[in-house]
Amino acid sequence: VVGDASADTSTHGGMELWRSQGVRPGRRHGAWDEGDGLVTYPGAAWRFARVKQISSSSWLGSQPTFLVSSNVANGLIMAASDGGATGRELWKSDGTAHGTILVKDIYPGGTSSNPSYMVAHSDGMVYFGANGKDSEWMHTEDECSGFRTVEVTTDRGHQTIGFAVSGEAGFAAYDTYDCPEGFYWASTEEVFAIFGRPDQPQGKLASSAASTGLGQLYANQCGWADSVWQGTERRKFFMMDSGSTGAYLDAAQRFVEPANLDVNFVHHGQLDSVQFAGIVCLAKAEVGDSHRSEEALGDTGQELWVTDGTVRGTRRVLDIFRGTAGSNPSYLVSFGNELMFAARSDTSGNELWRSDGSREGTVLVADVRAGALSSDPRDLTATQDESVVFFSANDGKNGRELWASNGVASFGGPATGLAREGEHGGLGTYIVLDILAGPEGSDPREITALHGGIVAFTA
């Protein structure tokens, strides 16, 4: 229960998380106000209590939203604001004051990550949209905690370079890897400006006395044996656009040597992502030397995240819309072993997506309104047997109408008879019926799952 005890001015704390048994105060229904930290109101008509005053703001409160029951929290996962240091972030509660805690400051500092559209999935995890920094991809076990920083002197002055090591040896060029706080993922041009281009006979740092004594970038550093860590050879540190330039820095090269070009990229136009060591980061304090704006450094916008209720288990699934705009995932719904939701990309607009919780398994289901324009799926609702997801969408021809999908991209065309009978298997993604013929659309809303694989809605 979320509420405000404004009727009692002595305990007014703004909008906060509450708990209620729904029984009159004289009845016994389990432990209540017996050292569990709850602030109770015995004079009220019904037994209820504020779980915790999360926010330091006595007027606004923490304003909990998107509450979802979850086993990972032994209670609730929700979005809330502490009114101060962390902004609006991910919280969990087991219904007691001491068990109501911040899961993770997803966007470090006072900036809010604004978790939204939370859903508890069949894999036991909770999925949601958020804008934050994800460092869980990093390896942190070597002597540098997986992040070696070095200050070099260039023709632009002093610059601090960081080498962030990946926990996995495979690189996903289509995704975003966040640098530790205070750093941003360098571009190829920025690295060329410091180290020099691959076609140069020597690196740009060759004349810097401060650079010659720095040794290799990561090989034989931080407890590594040459370029090997824990039995795996790790060589390539990539830049944010290495997927399109083929450029990288080698863990075994010295600072006086120029950047490298991936051989497979040169001959076949595709980056060889094996022996992935990590990414190249630059200190944000030196953003004046960057060709990118401060706004563009690091922010991903609202993207798909997942949590198991722990810090290490809270991570971004995929940066669907790379850049600061974000894909804004919404209307998340659990669908069998997968998750379906609406999200936008730079090529398909806001369309229907699905995810199995992995980077590779997060894909576009169907571009209902082909091209950059959006069909804008809304009110995604899975049938009780989870055989199909119904939603409203506008394909640009029929207006906003009722659609259905079983997670397959192919269009099966209108199949109203089958839809009524619940025989959706293999039909792909299709309009159920053009209820209001023409481009205006019937605007279906309040889609609700009923028994027998059918739904009710208003239109």
Side-chain angles (χ1 to χ4, degrees), residues 158-188:
H158 297 291
Q159 286 193 288
T160 303
I161 307 171
F163 299 96
V165 179
S166 171
E168 299 178 353
F171 177 62
Y174 53 84
D175 200 6
T176 295
Y177 295 80
D178 289 336
C179 291
E181 186 64 15
F183 287 79
Y184 67 95
W185 196 2
S187 69
T188 296

PDB file of all heavy atoms in Angstrom, residues 158-188:
ATOM      1  N   HIS A 158      48.060  17.083 -20.184  1.00  0.00           N
ATOM      2  CA  HIS A 158      47.958  15.844 -19.422  1.00  0.00           C
ATOM      3  C   HIS A 158      46.582  15.198 -19.640  1.00  0.00           C
ATOM      4  O   HIS A 158      45.562  15.869 -19.601  1.00  0.00           O
ATOM      5  CB  HIS A 158      48.161  16.114 -17.935  1.00  0.00           C
ATOM      6  CG  HIS A 158      49.524  16.641 -17.598  1.00  0.00           C
ATOM      7  ND1 HIS A 158      50.666  15.875 -17.698  1.00  0.00           N
ATOM      8  CD2 HIS A 158      49.932  17.864 -17.188  1.00  0.00           C
ATOM      9  CE1 HIS A 158      51.716  16.584 -17.362  1.00  0.00           C
ATOM     10  NE2 HIS A 158      51.297  17.804 -17.042  1.00  0.00           N
ATOM     11  N   GLN A 159      46.592  13.892 -19.862  1.00  0.00           N
ATOM     12  CA  GLN A 159      45.354  13.147 -20.006  1.00  0.00           C
ATOM     13  C   GLN A 159      45.442  11.844 -19.216  1.00  0.00           C
ATOM     14  O   GLN A 159      46.482  11.184 -19.208  1.00  0.00           O
ATOM     15  CB  GLN A 159      45.048  12.840 -21.471  1.00  0.00           C
ATOM     16  CG  GLN A 159      44.568  14.073 -22.247  1.00  0.00           C
ATOM     17  CD  GLN A 159      43.978  13.698 -23.583  1.00  0.00           C
ATOM     18  OE1 GLN A 159      44.705  13.321 -24.491  1.00  0.00           O
ATOM     19  NE2 GLN A 159      42.673  13.802 -23.705  1.00  0.00           N
ATOM     20  N   THR A 160      44.342  11.480 -18.566  1.00  0.00           N
ATOM     21  CA  THR A 160      44.282  10.237 -17.811  1.00  0.00           C
ATOM     22  C   THR A 160      43.526   9.203 -18.620  1.00  0.00           C
ATOM     23  O   THR A 160      42.378   9.414 -19.014  1.00  0.00           O
ATOM     24  CB  THR A 160      43.591  10.445 -16.457  1.00  0.00           C
ATOM     25  OG1 THR A 160      44.278  11.456 -15.724  1.00  0.00           O
ATOM     26  CG2 THR A 160      43.589   9.152 -15.650  1.00  0.00           C
ATOM     27  N   ILE A 161      44.196   8.076 -18.873  1.00  0.00           N
ATOM     28  CA  ILE A 161      43.618   6.986 -19.647  1.00  0.00           C
ATOM     29  C   ILE A 161      43.336   5.829 -18.708  1.00  0.00           C
ATOM     30  O   ILE A 161      44.132   5.522 -17.815  1.00  0.00           O
ATOM     31  CB  ILE A 161      44.580   6.516 -20.756  1.00  0.00           C
ATOM     32  CG1 ILE A 161      45.032   7.698 -21.608  1.00  0.00           C
ATOM     33  CG2 ILE A 161      43.927   5.457 -21.645  1.00  0.00           C
ATOM     34  CD1 ILE A 161      46.147   7.346 -22.575  1.00  0.00           C
ATOM     35  N   GLY A 162      42.196   5.194 -18.887  1.00  0.00           N
ATOM     36  CA  GLY A 162      41.851   4.024 -18.086  1.00  0.00           C
ATOM     37  C   GLY A 162      41.607   2.819 -18.973  1.00  0.00           C
ATOM     38  O   GLY A 162      41.064   2.949 -20.080  1.00  0.00           O
ATOM     39  N   PHE A 163      42.022   1.653 -18.503  1.00  0.00           N
ATOM     40  CA  PHE A 163      41.789   0.405 -19.237  1.00  0.00           C
ATOM     41  C   PHE A 163      40.911  -0.479 -18.360  1.00  0.00           C
ATOM     42  O   PHE A 163      41.358  -0.999 -17.330  1.00  0.00           O
ATOM     43  CB  PHE A 163      43.118  -0.267 -19.572  1.00  0.00           C
ATOM     44  CG  PHE A 163      44.009   0.583 -20.434  1.00  0.00           C
ATOM     45  CD1 PHE A 163      44.997   1.373 -19.856  1.00  0.00           C
ATOM     46  CD2 PHE A 163      43.829   0.624 -21.805  1.00  0.00           C
ATOM     47  CE1 PHE A 163      45.806   2.181 -20.637  1.00  0.00           C
ATOM     48  CE2 PHE A 163      44.633   1.435 -22.600  1.00  0.00           C
ATOM     49  CZ  PHE A 163      45.630   2.220 -22.021  1.00  0.00           C
ATOM     50  N   ALA A 164      39.635  -0.620 -18.754  1.00  0.00           N
ATOM     51  CA  ALA A 164      38.656  -1.386 -17.990  1.00  0.00           C
ATOM     52  C   ALA A 164      38.592  -2.799 -18.552  1.00  0.00           C
ATOM     53  O   ALA A 164      38.372  -2.991 -19.751  1.00  0.00           O
ATOM     54  CB  ALA A 164      37.290  -0.721 -18.059  1.00  0.00           C
ATOM     55  N   VAL A 165      38.779  -3.793 -17.688  1.00  0.00           N
ATOM     56  CA  VAL A 165      38.863  -5.185 -18.114  1.00  0.00           C
ATOM     57  C   VAL A 165      37.496  -5.855 -18.045  1.00  0.00           C
ATOM     58  O   VAL A 165      36.763  -5.705 -17.066  1.00  0.00           O
ATOM     59  CB  VAL A 165      39.871  -5.956 -17.243  1.00  0.00           C
ATOM     60  CG1 VAL A 165      39.948  -7.421 -17.676  1.00  0.00           C
ATOM     61  CG2 VAL A 165      41.245  -5.309 -17.331  1.00  0.00           C
ATOM     62  N   SER A 166      37.177  -6.617 -19.081  1.00  0.00           N
ATOM     63  CA  SER A 166      35.891  -7.311 -19.156  1.00  0.00           C
ATOM     64  C   SER A 166      35.932  -8.651 -18.435  1.00  0.00           C
ATOM     65  O   SER A 166      36.958  -9.329 -18.408  1.00  0.00           O
ATOM     66  CB  SER A 166      35.515  -7.545 -20.624  1.00  0.00           C
ATOM     67  OG  SER A 166      34.390  -8.400 -20.731  1.00  0.00           O
ATOM     68  N   GLY A 167      34.797  -9.022 -17.875  1.00  0.00           N
ATOM     69  CA  GLY A 167      34.674 -10.338 -17.268  1.00  0.00           C
ATOM     70  C   GLY A 167      34.523 -11.438 -18.294  1.00  0.00           C
ATOM     71  O   GLY A 167      34.718 -12.620 -17.993  1.00  0.00           O
ATOM     72  N   GLU A 168      34.166 -11.090 -19.535  1.00  0.00           N
ATOM     73  CA  GLU A 168      34.009 -12.053 -20.620  1.00  0.00           C
ATOM     74  C   GLU A 168      35.018 -11.750 -21.716  1.00  0.00           C
ATOM     75  O   GLU A 168      35.403 -10.593 -21.922  1.00  0.00           O
ATOM     76  CB  GLU A 168      32.586 -12.004 -21.196  1.00  0.00           C
ATOM     77  CG  GLU A 168      31.496 -12.342 -20.180  1.00  0.00           C
ATOM     78  CD  GLU A 168      30.111 -12.247 -20.772  1.00  0.00           C
ATOM     79  OE1 GLU A 168      29.987 -11.794 -21.939  1.00  0.00           O
ATOM     80  OE2 GLU A 168      29.145 -12.625 -20.081  1.00  0.00           O
ATOM     81  N   ALA A 169      35.441 -12.782 -22.421  1.00  0.00           N
ATOM     82  CA  ALA A 169      36.462 -12.617 -23.455  1.00  0.00           C
ATOM     83  C   ALA A 169      35.865 -12.369 -24.837  1.00  0.00           C
ATOM     84  O   ALA A 169      36.585 -12.336 -25.823  1.00  0.00           O
ATOM     85  CB  ALA A 169      37.368 -13.851 -23.497  1.00  0.00           C
ATOM     86  N   GLY A 170      34.543 -12.193 -24.930  1.00  0.00           N
ATOM     87  CA  GLY A 170      33.886 -11.911 -26.205  1.00  0.00           C
ATOM     88  C   GLY A 170      33.295 -10.516 -26.205  1.00  0.00           C
ATOM     89  O   GLY A 170      32.667 -10.091 -25.228  1.00  0.00           O
ATOM     90  N   PHE A 171      33.480  -9.771 -27.295  1.00  0.00           N
ATOM     91  CA  PHE A 171      33.040  -8.378 -27.399  1.00  0.00           C
ATOM     92  C   PHE A 171      31.765  -8.267 -28.224  1.00  0.00           C
ATOM     93  O   PHE A 171      31.663  -8.863 -29.295  1.00  0.00           O
ATOM     94  CB  PHE A 171      34.149  -7.548 -28.047  1.00  0.00           C
ATOM     95  CG  PHE A 171      33.807  -6.097 -28.284  1.00  0.00           C
ATOM     96  CD1 PHE A 171      33.520  -5.246 -27.218  1.00  0.00           C
ATOM     97  CD2 PHE A 171      33.777  -5.581 -29.573  1.00  0.00           C
ATOM     98  CE1 PHE A 171      33.221  -3.916 -27.437  1.00  0.00           C
ATOM     99  CE2 PHE A 171      33.486  -4.244 -29.800  1.00  0.00           C
ATOM    100  CZ  PHE A 171      33.210  -3.409 -28.730  1.00  0.00           C
ATOM    101  N   ALA A 172      30.769  -7.523 -27.729  1.00  0.00           N
ATOM    102  CA  ALA A 172      29.527  -7.263 -28.465  1.00  0.00           C
ATOM    103  C   ALA A 172      29.580  -5.839 -28.993  1.00  0.00           C
ATOM    104  O   ALA A 172      29.314  -4.880 -28.269  1.00  0.00           O
ATOM    105  CB  ALA A 172      28.316  -7.462 -27.564  1.00  0.00           C
ATOM    106  N   ALA A 173      29.951  -5.689 -30.255  1.00  0.00           N
ATOM    107  CA  ALA A 173      30.173  -4.362 -30.831  1.00  0.00           C
ATOM    108  C   ALA A 173      28.903  -3.529 -30.888  1.00  0.00           C
ATOM    109  O   ALA A 173      28.964  -2.298 -30.978  1.00  0.00           O
ATOM    110  CB  ALA A 173      30.765  -4.501 -32.231  1.00  0.00           C
ATOM    111  N   TYR A 174      27.740  -4.174 -30.823  1.00  0.00           N
ATOM    112  CA  TYR A 174      26.471  -3.456 -30.932  1.00  0.00           C
ATOM    113  C   TYR A 174      25.963  -2.954 -29.583  1.00  0.00           C
ATOM    114  O   TYR A 174      24.932  -2.280 -29.519  1.00  0.00           O
ATOM    115  CB  TYR A 174      25.407  -4.366 -31.562  1.00  0.00           C
ATOM    116  CG  TYR A 174      25.257  -5.700 -30.862  1.00  0.00           C
ATOM    117  CD1 TYR A 174      24.451  -5.845 -29.738  1.00  0.00           C
ATOM    118  CD2 TYR A 174      25.945  -6.817 -31.321  1.00  0.00           C
ATOM    119  CE1 TYR A 174      24.333  -7.058 -29.083  1.00  0.00           C
ATOM    120  CE2 TYR A 174      25.831  -8.042 -30.672  1.00  0.00           C
ATOM    121  CZ  TYR A 174      25.022  -8.152 -29.557  1.00  0.00           C
ATOM    122  OH  TYR A 174      24.911  -9.359 -28.912  1.00  0.00           O
ATOM    123  N   ASP A 175      26.659  -3.279 -28.510  1.00  0.00           N
ATOM    124  CA  ASP A 175      26.200  -2.894 -27.183  1.00  0.00           C
ATOM    125  C   ASP A 175      27.087  -1.793 -26.618  1.00  0.00           C
ATOM    126  O   ASP A 175      28.097  -1.411 -27.212  1.00  0.00           O
ATOM    127  CB  ASP A 175      26.190  -4.107 -26.255  1.00  0.00           C
ATOM    128  CG  ASP A 175      25.279  -3.911 -25.042  1.00  0.00           C
ATOM    129  OD1 ASP A 175      24.576  -2.885 -24.977  1.00  0.00           O
ATOM    130  OD2 ASP A 175      25.268  -4.786 -24.164  1.00  0.00           O
ATOM    131  N   THR A 176      26.712  -1.287 -25.432  1.00  0.00           N
ATOM    132  CA  THR A 176      27.469  -0.241 -24.756  1.00  0.00           C
ATOM    133  C   THR A 176      28.099  -0.797 -23.484  1.00  0.00           C
ATOM    134  O   THR A 176      27.445  -1.497 -22.721  1.00  0.00           O
ATOM    135  CB  THR A 176      26.549   0.944 -24.389  1.00  0.00           C
ATOM    136  OG1 THR A 176      26.074   1.553 -25.600  1.00  0.00           O
ATOM    137  CG2 THR A 176      27.285   1.988 -23.562  1.00  0.00           C
ATOM    138  N   TYR A 177      29.364  -0.463 -23.275  1.00  0.00           N
ATOM    139  CA  TYR A 177      30.088  -0.824 -22.057  1.00  0.00           C
ATOM    140  C   TYR A 177      30.389   0.465 -21.303  1.00  0.00           C
ATOM    141  O   TYR A 177      31.043   1.369 -21.847  1.00  0.00           O
ATOM    142  CB  TYR A 177      31.385  -1.548 -22.396  1.00  0.00           C
ATOM    143  CG  TYR A 177      31.197  -2.894 -23.064  1.00  0.00           C
ATOM    144  CD1 TYR A 177      30.923  -2.989 -24.431  1.00  0.00           C
ATOM    145  CD2 TYR A 177      31.301  -4.073 -22.337  1.00  0.00           C
ATOM    146  CE1 TYR A 177      30.757  -4.218 -25.051  1.00  0.00           C
ATOM    147  CE2 TYR A 177      31.138  -5.316 -22.951  1.00  0.00           C
ATOM    148  CZ  TYR A 177      30.862  -5.375 -24.305  1.00  0.00           C
ATOM    149  OH  TYR A 177      30.696  -6.601 -24.919  1.00  0.00           O
ATOM    150  N   ASP A 178      29.920   0.566 -20.072  1.00  0.00           N
ATOM    151  CA  ASP A 178      30.135   1.773 -19.288  1.00  0.00           C
ATOM    152  C   ASP A 178      31.489   1.745 -18.598  1.00  0.00           C
ATOM    153  O   ASP A 178      31.891   0.729 -18.008  1.00  0.00           O
ATOM    154  CB  ASP A 178      29.054   1.923 -18.220  1.00  0.00           C
ATOM    155  CG  ASP A 178      27.701   2.281 -18.815  1.00  0.00           C
ATOM    156  OD1 ASP A 178      27.675   2.832 -19.921  1.00  0.00           O
ATOM    157  OD2 ASP A 178      26.680   1.995 -18.166  1.00  0.00           O
ATOM    158  N   CYS A 179      32.181   2.871 -18.633  1.00  0.00           N
ATOM    159  CA  CYS A 179      33.411   3.038 -17.879  1.00  0.00           C
ATOM    160  C   CYS A 179      33.071   3.315 -16.415  1.00  0.00           C
ATOM    161  O   CYS A 179      31.950   3.721 -16.098  1.00  0.00           O
ATOM    162  CB  CYS A 179      34.216   4.211 -18.429  1.00  0.00           C
ATOM    163  SG  CYS A 179      34.905   3.925 -20.081  1.00  0.00           S
ATOM    164  N   PRO A 180      34.028   3.110 -15.500  1.00  0.00           N
ATOM    165  CA  PRO A 180      33.791   3.483 -14.109  1.00  0.00           C
ATOM    166  C   PRO A 180      33.459   4.968 -13.987  1.00  0.00           C
ATOM    167  O   PRO A 180      33.758   5.770 -14.876  1.00  0.00           O
ATOM    168  CB  PRO A 180      35.124   3.153 -13.426  1.00  0.00           C
ATOM    169  CG  PRO A 180      35.704   2.060 -14.270  1.00  0.00           C
ATOM    170  CD  PRO A 180      35.307   2.411 -15.684  1.00  0.00           C
ATOM    171  N   GLU A 181      32.830   5.330 -12.872  1.00  0.00           N
ATOM    172  CA  GLU A 181      32.407   6.711 -12.653  1.00  0.00           C
ATOM    173  C   GLU A 181      33.590   7.661 -12.792  1.00  0.00           C
ATOM    174  O   GLU A 181      34.692   7.408 -12.300  1.00  0.00           O
ATOM    175  CB  GLU A 181      31.778   6.850 -11.262  1.00  0.00           C
ATOM    176  CG  GLU A 181      31.172   8.206 -10.991  1.00  0.00           C
ATOM    177  CD  GLU A 181      29.992   8.523 -11.892  1.00  0.00           C
ATOM    178  OE1 GLU A 181      29.449   7.600 -12.548  1.00  0.00           O
ATOM    179  OE2 GLU A 181      29.603   9.693 -11.936  1.00  0.00           O
ATOM    180  N   GLY A 182      33.355   8.780 -13.490  1.00  0.00           N
ATOM    181  CA  GLY A 182      34.401   9.762 -13.724  1.00  0.00           C
ATOM    182  C   GLY A 182      35.117   9.588 -15.048  1.00  0.00           C
ATOM    183  O   GLY A 182      35.939  10.429 -15.424  1.00  0.00           O
ATOM    184  N   PHE A 183      34.784   8.493 -15.768  1.00  0.00           N
ATOM    185  CA  PHE A 183      35.407   8.224 -17.066  1.00  0.00           C
ATOM    186  C   PHE A 183      34.318   7.965 -18.107  1.00  0.00           C
ATOM    187  O   PHE A 183      33.171   7.676 -17.762  1.00  0.00           O
ATOM    188  CB  PHE A 183      36.320   6.995 -16.982  1.00  0.00           C
ATOM    189  CG  PHE A 183      37.599   7.233 -16.225  1.00  0.00           C
ATOM    190  CD1 PHE A 183      37.607   7.232 -14.837  1.00  0.00           C
ATOM    191  CD2 PHE A 183      38.794   7.445 -16.900  1.00  0.00           C
ATOM    192  CE1 PHE A 183      38.778   7.448 -14.134  1.00  0.00           C
ATOM    193  CE2 PHE A 183      39.973   7.654 -16.200  1.00  0.00           C
ATOM    194  CZ  PHE A 183      39.971   7.657 -14.816  1.00  0.00           C
ATOM    195  N   TYR A 184      34.691   8.076 -19.361  1.00  0.00           N
ATOM    196  CA  TYR A 184      33.770   7.755 -20.453  1.00  0.00           C
ATOM    197  C   TYR A 184      34.495   6.919 -21.500  1.00  0.00           C
ATOM    198  O   TYR A 184      35.722   6.921 -21.591  1.00  0.00           O
ATOM    199  CB  TYR A 184      33.181   9.017 -21.079  1.00  0.00           C
ATOM    200  CG  TYR A 184      34.189   9.877 -21.828  1.00  0.00           C
ATOM    201  CD1 TYR A 184      34.373   9.746 -23.198  1.00  0.00           C
ATOM    202  CD2 TYR A 184      34.954  10.838 -21.160  1.00  0.00           C
ATOM    203  CE1 TYR A 184      35.290  10.527 -23.888  1.00  0.00           C
ATOM    204  CE2 TYR A 184      35.869  11.620 -21.832  1.00  0.00           C
ATOM    205  CZ  TYR A 184      36.036  11.462 -23.198  1.00  0.00           C
ATOM    206  OH  TYR A 184      36.955  12.234 -23.879  1.00  0.00           O
ATOM    207  N   TRP A 185      33.735   6.184 -22.293  1.00  0.00           N
ATOM    208  CA  TRP A 185      34.280   5.301 -23.311  1.00  0.00           C
ATOM    209  C   TRP A 185      34.828   6.132 -24.468  1.00  0.00           C
ATOM    210  O   TRP A 185      34.085   6.880 -25.115  1.00  0.00           O
ATOM    211  CB  TRP A 185      33.192   4.354 -23.783  1.00  0.00           C
ATOM    212  CG  TRP A 185      33.670   3.148 -24.533  1.00  0.00           C
ATOM    213  CD1 TRP A 185      34.952   2.791 -24.813  1.00  0.00           C
ATOM    214  CD2 TRP A 185      32.843   2.125 -25.107  1.00  0.00           C
ATOM    215  NE1 TRP A 185      34.982   1.607 -25.518  1.00  0.00           N
ATOM    216  CE2 TRP A 185      33.713   1.178 -25.697  1.00  0.00           C
ATOM    217  CE3 TRP A 185      31.474   1.911 -25.159  1.00  0.00           C
ATOM    218  CZ2 TRP A 185      33.240   0.047 -26.354  1.00  0.00           C
ATOM    219  CZ3 TRP A 185      31.004   0.785 -25.811  1.00  0.00           C
ATOM    220  CH2 TRP A 185      31.872  -0.144 -26.392  1.00  0.00           C
ATOM    221  N   ALA A 186      36.107   6.007 -24.733  1.00  0.00           N
ATOM    222  CA  ALA A 186      36.769   6.819 -25.752  1.00  0.00           C
ATOM    223  C   ALA A 186      36.379   6.387 -27.156  1.00  0.00           C
ATOM    224  O   ALA A 186      36.077   5.218 -27.415  1.00  0.00           O
ATOM    225  CB  ALA A 186      38.282   6.729 -25.587  1.00  0.00           C
ATOM    226  N   SER A 187      36.413   7.329 -28.077  1.00  0.00           N
ATOM    227  CA  SER A 187      36.179   7.037 -29.486  1.00  0.00           C
ATOM    228  C   SER A 187      37.515   6.727 -30.159  1.00  0.00           C
ATOM    229  O   SER A 187      38.595   6.985 -29.615  1.00  0.00           O
ATOM    230  CB  SER A 187      35.524   8.226 -30.178  1.00  0.00           C
ATOM    231  OG  SER A 187      36.450   9.311 -30.274  1.00  0.00           O
ATOM    232  N   THR A 188      37.449   6.180 -31.363  1.00  0.00           N
ATOM    233  CA  THR A 188      38.669   5.870 -32.115  1.00  0.00           C
ATOM    234  C   THR A 188      39.492   7.120 -32.372  1.00  0.00           C
ATOM    235  O   THR A 188      40.717   7.120 -32.207  1.00  0.00           O
ATOM    236  CB  THR A 188      38.314   5.184 -33.443  1.00  0.00           C
ATOM    237  OG1 THR A 188      37.690   3.923 -33.173  1.00  0.00           O
ATOM    238  CG2 THR A 188      39.545   4.956 -34.293  1.00  0.00           C
TER     239      THR A 188
END
